[in-house]
Amino acid sequence: MSSSSLVIVLMLSWYLSAAASDRASSYFQLIHCKMAFFHNSVDTEFQSVNKLILNSLQSDVGLVENIGSYIVDSGGKRLRPVLVLLSALANNYQSEKNNHIKLAAVIEFIHTATLLHDDVVDVSALRRGRETANEIWGNAPSVLVGDFLYSRAFQMLVEVADMNIMRIFADATNVISEGE
């Protein structure tokens, strides 16, 4: 691992530990700056992930695109895709197929699907200061778009064509579903 990669991993570890502590709110400004550092470290790849996410939301069903775009544009930090990209950077991952870009988008889709489902189960009206999708469009459309995001994530996993990675995602998604 290169020294710059090690610095990135150590800073990310600090960020995660600070975010998990009771004092996390006092670190908010500093953490925001640190996240910018992480995003900047993988900016080109991160932009590719965002583009892939938006392109992968396309559907013949307008409501899927509307709800999907609403959720994706909600202003989250996209920490999970950044972790995938930083891991690829730290391990000098190289691929002509850009599988790390696809996997970063897959992680975000699965996370977003869980948020949609959780908001329905918890009867939440707000998330990140905005109305939840189920508050605007109702429970059934929210669950169906969550299901669409899960299935789209698995379509993208098939493109990666790595059985070990597919197994890990399938097992993790099953655990997530049981937890919901």
Side-chain angles (χ1 to χ4, degrees), residues 85-96:
L85 298 175
L86 288 171
S87 296
L89 176 67
N91 290 290
N92 293 319
Y93 177 79
Q94 305 269 329
S95 169
E96 292 178 16

Side-chain angles (χ1 to χ4, degrees), residues 4 9 14 21 23 52 82 84 101 116 121 140 145 149 153-154 169:
S4 62
V9 170
W14 173 85
S21 76
R23 298 171 291 155
L52 179 58
V82 170
V84 171
I101 303 295
L116 283 163
V121 170
V145 171
L149 292 174
F154 278 89
F169 272 98

Side-chain angles (χ1 to χ4, degrees), residues 5-162:
S5 298
L6 183 58
V7 168
I8 290 170
V9 170
L10 290 173
M11 289 180 76
L12 186 59
S13 297
W14 173 85
Y15 165 76
L16 292 173
S17 64
S21 76
D22 291 336
R23 298 171 291 155
S25 61
S26 65
Y27 293 123
F28 180 76
Q29 294 278 337
L30 184 58
I31 289 172
H32 185 69
C33 291
K34 297 300 179 191
M35 280 306 296
F37 171 79
F38 296 128
H39 281 266
N40 291 338
S41 298
V42 291
D43 185 57
T44 302
E45 293 87 354
F46 187 71
Q47 296 308 318
S48 295
V49 171
N50 284 331
K51 185 176 180 180
L52 179 58
I53 286 171
L54 292 175
N55 290 340
S56 298
L57 283 174
Q58 293 180 358
S59 170
D60 293 335
V61 180
L63 192 58
V64 168
E65 287 185 6
N66 291 343
I67 295 175
S69 294
Y70 180 80
I71 296 300
V72 167
D73 293 338
S74 68
K77 297 177 297 292
R78 300 233 170 105
L79 177 61
R80 289 152 194 84
V82 170
L83 283 171
V84 171
L85 298 175
L86 288 171
S87 296
L89 176 67
N91 290 290
N92 293 319
Y93 177 79
Q94 305 269 329
S95 169
E96 292 178 16
K97 295 181 183 180
N98 287 321
N99 284 340
H100 63 303
I101 303 295
K102 290 177 187 170
L103 292 173
V106 165
I107 290 274
E108 187 64 16
F109 274 1
I110 290 173
H111 172 64
T112 304
T114 64
L115 295 180
L116 283 163
H117 290 166
D118 284 348
D119 287 343
V120 169
V121 170
D122 298 340
V123 193
S124 299
L126 291 175
R127 177 172 296 279
R128 298 180 189 130
R130 293 177 71 192
E131 284 185 300
T132 58
N134 58 300
E135 185 71 13
I136 297 170
W137 288 280
N139 288 340
S142 295
V143 169
L144 293 173
V145 171
D147 293 348
F148 171 84
L149 292 174
Y150 273 129
S151 64
R152 184 55 50 97
F154 278 89
Q155 286 177 326
M156 294 165 73
L157 278 172
V158 169
E159 292 174 14
V160 172
D162 184 316

